[in-house]
Amino acid sequence: GVVGLGFGLGCSEVEVFDRFEPLAGVIEGTVVIRTPELVGSECQQGRRGDVILSLFRVEDPPPPEGTGESVSFVVVPEARVFGEGDGVDVRGAPFVFASVPTGRYTIRGFVDVDGDFNPVFDLTGQPTAFDVGGGVVDPDTGAFTEVEVTAGRVTRNVVASLGRVVPVERPAFVPTATSADVPGRLELAFVALDRGPVQVEAACGGFAVELASEDGVPRDRDGDGLVDVFPRVLFTRDEMDGSTTVVPGVVDPLPFLDRLVEGSGVRTDILPVVLPPAAFVRPENGGDLRPLERVPAGPYQVSVLSGTGQTWSVPNEIDTVDPPDPDLGPTRGQVEPVRLNPALPAGEGRIDGRVRVPAEPAGSTYVFAFAVDDPPPPAGTGQPRAVTRVEGFVPDGGGFRAASYRLSGLPEGDWIVQGLQDLDGDFSPLVDLRAQPSAGDRVGRIPAAVTVRMGRGEAPDLELNDLVPFDRPFFSMEELRVEQSELPVRLRLDARSVLGSQPGLPVQLAGTDAEGDGLPDLLPRVLLTRLAPSEDPRVADDVRGAPVWLGWVDPVPFLVPLSTGQPAISAPALDVLLLPVAVGPDGSPLGPPPPGRYRVNLVAGTGQTWSVPNDLDLQLGRVGTPREDPGQAAVVRLDAGASPPGAIRVQVELPAGLTPPFRVALAARPAVGPLGPLAPPASSVVLTPADFEGGSGEVVLPGLPSGL
């Protein structure tokens, strides 16, 4: 398991320094305890206890920086440190580490105020809530400093300072599921425990979420587009050859970001973990992690590494530390591994190619493959079937850098290949809210489809030269309820800022007039999709295969500036005409949309999208706070209402010589309107030979509103 202090190589009480023979190296020093002010708590009242000091190699640090275990530890008894009195705020006592191999080390420790430290087990070998921590640190920055040891010499005058109260219990948890898909998500739930030597108090427990910042600046070390936070989460399993497979989980920072940016501490009982399709192997003899091509399926131990250095793992040895009642059996949630189920590749084919980007500025670069019959926005709504992050760029002349890429797991066929260079560090394929380009990113695509045949596809160079001019088209709207007979109606979409984006809805000419109404078509496209039944529309799915309701962006406010050569306009709002038109999967008009609740989807010409209702406030943890935006949960509700009373009686004459079988279809369409000849029928009827006598028949087209 992952152990915070990993005590296990020996223990010593301080006696007399000069009794040690420096056969290796020796560290002599003083531990100083600056006793923090005592604050009443349900968890702990004292500030005294034995002092535990641990030694770690610099190249193998403990949590939260790494997963290293201590090479040695010492216990300085409470009586030696604190004596008998209670009135002294600063205490001190000598310590010594003997027989230390040559190397560079850090020293970390804590005052075990509740007396529950036991080095025999991982579960009892770490600080708990209200222990007083610290170590050998820089007095100005608080960063751990190195202690250098040389064989045959004594390193003297080392000072370990303890004075920071550990604010929470260890991050004890149970996985909310015994298996998880990769890529996918898994939630870990904090659990209080009362198991003899293992006490995790509910009042002082939970996951302490904090920014993993450097000099107060949030960082993104792994370049996944998400700011790094503690805790870290690792999925590990030991292999037969002695190596260890590691799958790094990513704690989703979005639900906590508002409070973290404000500087507030965040404690949560639920830790959302994203599982990226990435795996590494750590050799038996240590060394750097090596990437694996795919995540191996199977059972894994889950470990949480808190920013305090405390850890918890499942499975663990809780039933060894405190044997359960034989009738109850093993402790549920603490002894079962989590099975990871990586997505099976759709095929064995791959596309190899090179991507070229301007040399400066740098940024994470991704390449995507889309099926030609399911293209991405704005042409369609397709999702990438394969994605890869590109690394290893080298100069390629002309101010460009180039690197090779491979898109794997593709079936035979034709593929659209696109790329993105994330220049502002806010693109992430791991969460929907960050999975689109933003203003200033570079994008590009290979003009022709790339064909995979016999498992291979060779792509021409992909150049990322186009700058994305706008941020994602985030918008809000008010709830709208309308009857079919009232269509068309107007709907206003108001631009808004999300996570620091520049508000604006990009408007540009589409270069077509598909409706034949004499007005140029505009982008963005507005499509309304029917929602499946759900109490909360923010998490409702779209009904698959249902007709799509069309919206029409009023072009009049934008025609003059666009006609002067402006390629696009950032609009603060859009007026959308909701038409009495729905289309089927093949794009053919089907008549008025069916009654129900609808989601409004805006698809910009840049391929960026936004939809309302959505789960934005759920993702950001804003539900019930002043930052919650009701305009992200609004729906358009279409009611059937009463049918229009109008009707047209039609006399139909058949051409001479027409013999069965045949069918005659009649349709009434509006003579005027924004769709012109493409308008769907407002009423229609189909006649068979039985409806005709003597070559003629009569039919009524009902349900028509007044007008032409």
Side-chain angles (χ1 to χ4, degrees):
V2 175
V3 187
L5 296 177
F7 309 107
L9 296 185
C11 162
S12 63
E13 284 196 5
V14 175
E15 293 290 342
V16 181
F17 293 144
D18 57 12
R19 293 186 181 182
F20 292 101
E21 296 182 13
L23 299 178
V26 174
I27 301 174
E28 293 180 356
T30 302
V31 58
V32 177
I33 296 93
R34 291 174 172 80
T35 307
E37 180 182 352
L38 185 63
V39 179
S41 166
E42 301 177 44
C43 307
Q44 190 59 245
Q45 296 293 330
R47 286 289 183 267
R48 299 167 56 106
D50 294 340
V51 172
I52 318 299
L53 296 176
S54 301
L55 197 65
F56 297 89
R57 294 186 182 277
V58 167
E59 64 270 18
D60 192 20
E65 295 90 352
T67 59
E69 299 184 0
S70 66
V71 298
S72 182
F73 75 94
V74 296
V75 177
V76 186
E78 175 184 348
R80 190 178 297 274
V81 178
F82 294 95
E84 300 298 329
D86 290 326
V88 181
D89 292 332
V90 180
R91 312 287 182 135
F95 70 87
V96 62
F97 284 95
S99 301
V100 180
T102 296
R104 295 176 301 122
Y105 299 88
T106 59
I107 297 176
R108 312 181 187 217
F110 64 96
V111 180
D112 181 25
V113 299
D114 49 3
D116 59 358
F117 169 74
N118 182 342
V120 175
F121 301 106
D122 288 356
L123 292 181
T124 56
Q126 296 186 29
T128 52
F130 286 81
D131 288 347
V132 181
V136 179
V137 299
D138 184 298
D140 295 324
T141 66
F144 290 101
T145 59
E146 297 180 7
V147 177
E148 190 163 355
V149 176
T150 302
R153 296 186 179 183
V154 179
T155 302
R156 304 180 188 275
N157 302 320
V158 176
V159 177
S161 178
L162 308 182
R164 299 195 303 269
V165 176
V166 178
V168 290
E169 296 280 19
R170 294 182 63 187
F173 68 90
V174 293
T176 58
T178 57
S179 66
D181 294 334
V182 180
R185 299 176 73 94
L186 176 69
E187 289 186 340
L188 308 179
F190 169 75
V191 60
L193 294 171
D194 181 8
R195 295 291 298 274
V198 181
Q199 298 292 317
V200 180
E201 300 283 349
C204 295
F207 303 103
V209 181
E210 57 185 307
L211 288 172
S213 60
E214 293 178 346
D215 299 326
V217 179
R219 67 189 184 192
D220 177 18
R221 279 187 172 177
D222 51 10
D224 61 8
L226 300 174
V227 294
D228 298 337
V229 298
F230 292 124
R232 298 169 58 206
V233 179
L234 298 177
F235 296 77
T236 59
R237 73 174 189 182
D238 296 330
E239 306 295 350
M240 296 293 292
D241 61 0
S243 65
T244 302
T245 299
V246 180
V247 177
V250 178
V251 174
D252 185 352
L254 297 182
F256 317 108
L257 205 53
D258 288 344
R259 290 168 287 172
L260 291 174
V261 171
E262 292 169 356
S264 305
V266 177
R267 189 177 298 177
T268 180
D269 287 342
I270 299 294
L271 197 66
V273 181
V274 180
L275 290 164
F280 302 85
V281 62
R282 179 188 293 120
E284 181 181 13
N285 57 357
D288 294 336
L289 296 174
R290 299 195 310 269
L292 296 173
E293 187 173 340
R294 293 177 184 169
V295 175
Y300 286 77
Q301 182 183 54
V302 187
S303 300
V304 172
L305 288 65
S306 178
T308 61
Q310 300 161 290
T311 69
W312 194 266
S313 298
V314 173
N316 57 52
E317 54 194 352
I318 193 168
D319 287 347
T320 301
V321 176
D322 181 48
D325 186 317
D327 294 334
L328 297 178
T331 304
R332 292 183 59 83
Q334 298 297 305
V335 296
E336 301 92 356
V338 170
R339 180 175 181 84
L340 298 186
N341 306 311
L344 295 176
E348 296 299 323
R350 68 176 192 254
I351 293 175
D352 293 311
R354 287 196 328 154
V355 60
R356 300 179 76 239
V357 298
E360 295 294 341
S364 297
T365 301
Y366 299 86
V367 177
F368 313 88
F370 298 85
V372 293
D373 57 356
D374 190 18
T381 59
Q383 297 294 313
R385 305 292 180 86
V387 58
T388 186
R389 183 174 165 185
V390 187
E391 297 178 330
F393 283 89
V394 296
D396 193 48
F400 277 77
R401 296 178 302 149
S404 298
Y405 67 85
R406 172 170 291 175
L407 294 163
S408 302
L410 297 172
E412 305 277 302
D414 295 331
W415 299 92
I416 298 169
V417 177
Q418 294 186 176
L420 176 148
Q421 187 183 26
D422 176 29
L423 298 185
D424 51 6
D426 65 356
F427 174 85
S428 176
L430 302 180
V431 294
D432 292 342
L433 191 57
R434 295 287 202 183
Q436 294 193 30
S438 56
D441 289 345
R442 285 192 174 93
V443 296
R445 64 179 292 171
I446 295 175
V450 178
T451 300
V452 174
R453 291 288 183 269
M454 304 294 291
R456 294 287 302 276
E458 296 292 337
D461 283 354
L462 169 62
E463 293 195 355
L464 306 184
N465 288 321
D466 298 329
L467 285 176
V468 178
F470 302 106
D471 281 326
R472 196 169 173 183
F474 299 106
F475 68 88
S476 292
M477 68 182 198
E478 293 185 358
E479 192 103 358
L480 176 66
R481 188 163 192 168
V482 62
E483 293 185 359
Q484 287 177 322
S485 60
E486 298 173 327
L487 298 179
V489 296
R490 288 185 177 269
L491 174 69
R492 180 181 173 90
L493 308 181
D494 292 302
R496 62 155 299 177
S497 173
V498 173
L499 295 178
S501 68
Q502 187 67 32
L505 303 176
V507 181
Q508 60 191 115
L509 293 171
T512 59
D513 179 14
E515 299 89 358
D517 57 6
L519 294 174
D521 299 332
L522 295 186
L523 293 171
R525 299 164 61 206
V526 178
L527 308 172
L528 282 73
T529 49
R530 193 175 178 187
L531 296 175
S534 173
E535 183 175 344
D536 187 346
R538 294 174 296 188
V539 295
D541 294 326
D542 292 340
V543 177
R544 290 184 177 275
V548 174
W549 185 3
L550 294 183
W552 181 72
V553 177
D554 186 354
V556 174
F558 311 107
L559 291 181
V560 172
L562 289 175
S563 66
T564 62
Q566 282 188 248
I569 297 170
S570 179
L574 291 179
D575 281 329
V576 178
L577 194 65
L578 300 183
L579 304 169
V581 180
V583 297
D586 60 354
S588 60
L590 300 176
R597 297 185 307 170
Y598 283 82
R599 172 175 283 123
V600 178
N601 306 280
L602 189 150
V603 184
T606 58
Q608 299 158 295
T609 67
W610 189 245
S611 301
V612 174
N614 56 63
D615 61 352
L616 173 69
D617 289 325
L618 296 172
Q619 289 191 58
L620 298 181
R622 293 178 175 175
V623 176
T625 74
R627 291 177 178 255
E628 184 176 5
D629 180 5
Q632 301 301 309
V635 300
V636 174
R637 188 185 300 273
L638 182 64
D639 296 330
S643 298
I648 298 176
R649 186 178 300 276
V650 180
Q651 184 73 29
V652 181
E653 299 290 338
L654 296 179
L658 182 64
T659 58
F662 61 82
R663 292 193 305 167
V664 177
L666 286 90
R669 289 182 169 85
V672 294
L675 285 186
L678 294 183
S683 181
S684 61
V685 66
V686 176
L687 306 178
T688 66
D691 296 309
F692 293 90
E693 182 177 346
S696 67
E698 189 176 83
V699 66
V700 174
L701 293 167
L704 297 174
S706 300
L708 299 176

